[in-house]
Amino acid sequence: MTKNNVKIDKRLYMIDSFRGLAIIFMVVYHAFYNIRYIFGNPFGWVLRLYPLQQAACWMFILISGFSFSFSRNNIRRGLLISACGLGLTGFTMLFMPSEKIVWGILSFLGAAMLLVQVLLPVLRSIPATGGFIVCAGLFVLFRDIQYGWLGFEGHWIAAVPAIFYRPHWLFPFGFPFDGFWSADYFPMLPWIFLYLCGFFLYRMTEKSQQIQGLLMRRVPVLAALGRHSLGIYLLHQPVIFGMMWLIFSVFSLSNASASVV
């Protein structure tokens, strides 16, 4: 853990634990998503897991923003995560085109790290509490901008002019063009504001010994998962897909044998 590029011996293990919990939420959601949408099993109730998927995403982004000040080199880390996001895009386009990921959460997190690093002198001059409140409000306002509206989760207050959705190069910013598709899409708007909420939240709590003490506690299994979250994210879908393919292949074969008998 570092602060202002100075190494600190203490580690906020609870942050790893929260990240590990988010990993579990994500793996569970994607497992049932694959069963429903890739292998075609009619589990309509999978749609009810949307809050679980959102909880995982919100936790990842908030924690990433909260952890920004811990990194020794956010430029290097941002470039690494962006490269992982680009690699995931290439992999899914080649091997899973129906579930391709274009500007997914890794691409967003990499870009967010780089952007916040560039804006760091300005962001540090903003009062932490005020910055958190403003960013939370902007996140709510821009939550549904990818659907053409200002508002939160279907509670819309105004339409966004269609001209913003015509250029094909604006999709990373929250303006997908007609026909754009991605199985995992996290544009800069609105998610940069949730990331900044995490950034300002750390600044609000960094001087509180009580909160820092709580964050130094750990849940061993969750903390271990959280410390390897990037590797798990990159590998979990191929592993889940392979396991599901094997299970459903064997299951189909067994059904076929039973029908013959």
Side-chain angles (χ1 to χ4, degrees):
M1 170 181 169
T2 65
K3 180 183 174 183
N4 298 332
N5 295 324
V6 177
K7 188 172 181 179
I8 299 175
D9 293 332
K10 298 177 181 178
R11 184 179 182 89
L12 303 184
Y13 292 101
M14 190 57 67
I15 298 300
D16 290 330
S17 300
F18 285 138
R19 192 182 288 115
L21 182 61
I23 280 285
I24 292 175
F25 287 168
M26 177 189 64
V27 170
V28 170
Y29 175 80
H30 282 163
F32 285 107
Y33 180 94
N34 288 353
I35 293 173
R36 172 67 179 87
Y37 293 103
I38 296 180
F39 292 94
N41 284 58
F43 292 166
W45 52 265
V46 169
L47 298 175
R48 300 176 188 173
L49 294 178
Y50 173 75
L52 188 69
Q53 183 255 3
Q54 287 294 289
C57 298
W58 284 43
M59 289 175 68
F60 269 124
I61 294 171
L62 269 172
I63 291 168
S64 183
F66 190 93
S67 304
F68 178 87
S69 299
F70 303 166
S71 177
R72 298 176 183 178
N73 190 329
N74 279 300
I75 295 294
R76 182 177 62 186
R77 184 164 177 78
L79 291 173
L80 172 63
I81 293 179
S82 295
C84 290
L86 185 61
L88 189 62
T89 296
F91 178 86
T92 54
M93 291 183 72
L94 284 173
F95 298 103
M96 302 174 65
S98 64
E99 297 296 323
K100 66 180 180 181
I101 294 175
V102 180
W103 203 265
I105 194 167
L106 291 183
S107 295
F108 162 74
L109 289 176
M113 290 178 192
L114 296 173
L115 179 61
V116 171
Q117 183 64 42
V118 171
L119 298 178
L120 196 55
V122 176
L123 294 171
R124 282 180 174 163
S125 69
I126 299 172
T129 302
F132 178 85
I133 293 172
V134 170
C135 286
L138 289 173
F139 174 71
V140 171
L141 178 64
F142 287 101
R143 175 63 183 87
D144 286 353
I145 195 170
Q146 71 187 72
Y147 306 115
W149 294 89
L150 296 178
F152 184 83
E153 293 290 346
H155 300 285
W156 297 330
I157 58 177
V160 180
I163 191 173
F164 288 103
Y165 301 89
R166 290 172 188 164
H168 283 210
W169 56 273
L170 287 179
F171 70 88
F173 303 98
F175 306 102
F177 55 88
D178 186 31
F180 175 84
W181 160 250
S182 176
D184 185 43
Y185 179 47
F186 285 85
M188 299 304 288
L189 292 177
W191 299 103
I192 188 61
F193 295 118
L194 187 62
Y195 187 93
L196 287 172
C197 281
F199 173 84
F200 286 118
L201 185 62
Y202 174 74
R203 287 187 51 206
M204 292 166 59
T205 61
E206 63 178 328
K207 294 181 180 180
S208 171
Q209 293 184 358
Q210 183 178 9
I211 294 177
Q212 293 291 306
L214 289 173
L215 292 177
M216 287 175 62
R217 299 180 181 180
R218 74 171 91 187
V219 181
V221 175
L222 293 181
L225 291 173
R227 294 190 68 173
H228 299 90
S229 58
L230 179 59
I232 294 173
Y233 182 86
L234 290 173
L235 294 175
H236 83 282
Q237 272 289 50
V239 171
I240 291 174
F241 182 86
M243 291 176 62
M244 295 295 176
W245 179 84
L246 181 62
I247 290 171
F248 282 100
S249 296
V250 172
F251 182 74
S252 298
L253 181 61
S254 299
N255 279 348
S257 300
S259 63
V260 171
V261 174

